[in-house]
C-alpha cells in the first residue's frame, strides 16, 4: 500500500536584471564588459534563457546623475534605450520574456502602447513593461512636461496611463477588425484608431517596482509582477501578505500578482569560501569615494574631509535636494542617519563598513545546495513568488547560477525543467487579461 504523494512545491519564478545602475556592478573586475555593447545584452539574455528564466529585465536612466553639480563618474554613464535593445534581443531568443523599464511620467499612452505592442508581436508574446514614475524636476528638464508631478499625483497619472494603454491594446476586435478608441480622463484626453491588432499576450505583462504605500496599492490594482527588496525572510513575508491582501478590493486573486524581490547570489564550493567571496565583492562595490558619496546623500553636506575608514559624522543631516540629482531619495534623512549611527555603534563600524552593511542588497550566500535550499524556503513560506537576480558582473555574472543552482532547484521540483508555453504570461502562470471583448 502506497502512501500519499509528496506535495508539489510551489513553483518558483526567476528573472535576470542586466546590471549597470548604481554601484552593484564591479567594473574593476577584468571579467567585466561593456554595458552598451549588444554582445553583453545577448550573453546575459541567452544565459537566462538557457536557465529557463521567466524574463530578462532592463532598468532605465533618463538623465546622467550628478553629485555636487558634476556627472558622477563612479556611476554608469551610458544606458541605451530599453525597448530598442529588447527588440534586437527578440531575434536571438525564443522563449525568454523581455521586460523594459519605461517612465509613465515622461511618455504618452498611444506612443508607448504602440511600442510595447510591437515588441509583443515581434517576440511572439514575450513583452513586459516595468512602469516607473518620477517627480524629479532635474530629470524633467530633459522633457517638455518637466518634473511637476508630486509623489501622490505621479501614481494617479501612472494608473490612468496603464488603464489607457490597455484600452488601446484591446481596441481591435478579436477577429482583427480595427475599432475606434476614446479615453477622457484627468491626465489624458485622446481618441482615434490604434495601428496594431491585438498582440499575442493581448496585454504585455505589467511590472511595478516600489515599496511605498502608494506603490503597493498601484501594484495591487494594476500590475502583474511587483519588483521589490527585502532583507530577511520575516520582512519578505510581511510585504507579501500586505500586498496580496490588497488584491481582493480590485477583484483579483493572490495568483494574479507575482512578488519577485531583487537579490544577489554569491556561490562557493564551501560556505566559508562563499562568504569570503561575498565580502570581497562588497568591498569592491563600495569604494572609499562611493562610501562618502552615499553618506553625503543622507547628510546633505560635503563630507569629502572625512576619512572613509573613520567614524560617521557627529553632525545632524541637512536635507539638500540639490546635492545629488537624479537619484531616488533616501526618505527621512534624520531617521536614516540615526539608524546608521546605531548600526555603526553596535558593531564598531567605520563609514565605509556602515555603508556596506546598510546598503547591501538581500543576498543568498553559500554553496549551490545551500542557496537552492534558501531560495526554495523563501518561496515555500510565502516571502516571495520568485526572484530577480542582480549579478555583479556584466555580462557573465549569471553563468555560475545557471550552471550550478538551477539544476538543484529542478531536482527539488521547485523550478521548471522546460518552458511549457510560448508567452511570458504562460511562464508566470497569469490568466488571460480582462478587457473589452
Amino acid at each position: 500500500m502506497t502512501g500519499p504523494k509528496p506535495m508539489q512545491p510551489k513553483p518558483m519564478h526567476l528573472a535576470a536584471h542586466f546590471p549597470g545602475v548604481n554601484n552593484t556592478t564591479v567594473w574593476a573586475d577584468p571579467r567585466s564588459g561593456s554595458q552598451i555593447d549588444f554582445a553583453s545584452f545577448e550573453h546575459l539574455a541567452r544565459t537566462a534563457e538557457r536557465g529557463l528564466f521567466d524574463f530578462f529585465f532592463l532598468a532605465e536612466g533618463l538623465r546622467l546623475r550628478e553629485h555636487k553639480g558634476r556627472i558622477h563618474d563612479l556611476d554608469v554613464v551610458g544606458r541605451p534605450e530599453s525597448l530598442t535593445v529588447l527588440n534586437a534581443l527578440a531575434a536571438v531568443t525564443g522563449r525568454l520574456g523581455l521586460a523594459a523599464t519605461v517612465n509613465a511620467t515622461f511618455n504618452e499612452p498611444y506612443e508607448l502602447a504602440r511600442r510595447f505592442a510591437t515588441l509583443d508581436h515581434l517576440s511572439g508574446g514575450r513583452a513586459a513593461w516595468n512602469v516607473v514614475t518620477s517627480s524629479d524636476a532635474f530629470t524633467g528638464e530633459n522633457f517638455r512636461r518637466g518634473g511637476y508631478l508630486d509623489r501622490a499625483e505621479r501614481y494617479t497619472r501612472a494608473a490612468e496611463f496603464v488603464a489607457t494603454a490597455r484600452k488601446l491594446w484591446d481596441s481591435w476586435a478579436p477577429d482583427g477588425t480595427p475599432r475606434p478608441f476614446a479615453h477622457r480622463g484627468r491626465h489624458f484626453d485622446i481618441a482615434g484608431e490604434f495601428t496594431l491588432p491585438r498582440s499575442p499576450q493581448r496585454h504585455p505583462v505589467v511590472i511595478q517596482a516600489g515599496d511605498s504605500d502608494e506603490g503597493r496599492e498601484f501594484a495591487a490594482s494594476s500590475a502583474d509582477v511587483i519588483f521589490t527588496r527585502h532583507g530577511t525572510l520575516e520582512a519578505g513575508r510581511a510585504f507579501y501578505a500586505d500586498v496580496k491582501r490588497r488584491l481582493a478590493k480590485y477583484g483579483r486573486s493572490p495568483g494574479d500578482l507575482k512578488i519577485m524581490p531583487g537579490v544577489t547570489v554569491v556561490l562557493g564550493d564551501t560556505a566559508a569560501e562563499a562568504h569570503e567571496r561575498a565580502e570581497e565583492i562588497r568591498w569592491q562595490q563600495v569604494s572609499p569615494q562611493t562610501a562618502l558619496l552615499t553618506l553625503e546623500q543622507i547628510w546633505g553636506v560635503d563630507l569629502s574631509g572625512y576619512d572613509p575608514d573613520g567614524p560617521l559624522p557627529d553632525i545632524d543631516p541637512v536635507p539638500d535636494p540639490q546635492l545629488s540629482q537624479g537619484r531616488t531619495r533616501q526618505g527621512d534623512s534624520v531617521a536614516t542617519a540615526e539608524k546608521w549611527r546605531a548600526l555603526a555603534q553596535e558593531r564598531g563600524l567605520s563609514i565605509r563598513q556602515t555603508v556596506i552593511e546598510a546598503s547591501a542588497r538581500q543576498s543568498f550566500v553559500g554553496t549551490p545546495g545551500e542557496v537552492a535550499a534558501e531560495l526554495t524556503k523563501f518561496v515555500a513560506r510565502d516571502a516571495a513568488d520568485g526572484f530577480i537576480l542582480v549579478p555583479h558582473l556584466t555580462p557573465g555574472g549569471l553563468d555560475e547560477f545557471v550552471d550550478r543552482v538551477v539544476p538543484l532547484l529542478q531536482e527539488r521540483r521547485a523550478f521548471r525543467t522546460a518552458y511549457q508555453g510560448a508567452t511570458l504570461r504562460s511562464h508566470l502562470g497569469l490568466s488571460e487579461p480582462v478587457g473589452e471583448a
Side-chain angles (χ1 to χ4, degrees), residues 28 36 52 75-76 81 87 89 103-104 154 194 200 279 327 329 342 355 365 371 392 433-435:
I36 59 174
L52 305 175
D75 206 349
V76 172
E81 195 279 319
N87 277 308
L89 288 177
N103 199 299
R154 65 182 185 169
F194 199 50
E279 185 73 10
R327 291 180 172 273
R329 300 300 171 199
V355 173
V365 180
V371 168
H392 71 280
V434 176

Side-chain angles (χ1 to χ4, degrees), residues 110 168 171-172 178-181 191-196:
Y110 184 91
L168 294 167
S171 62
W172 282 51
R179 299 182 299 195
F181 69 84
E193 289 186 353
F194 199 50
T195 59
L196 288 169

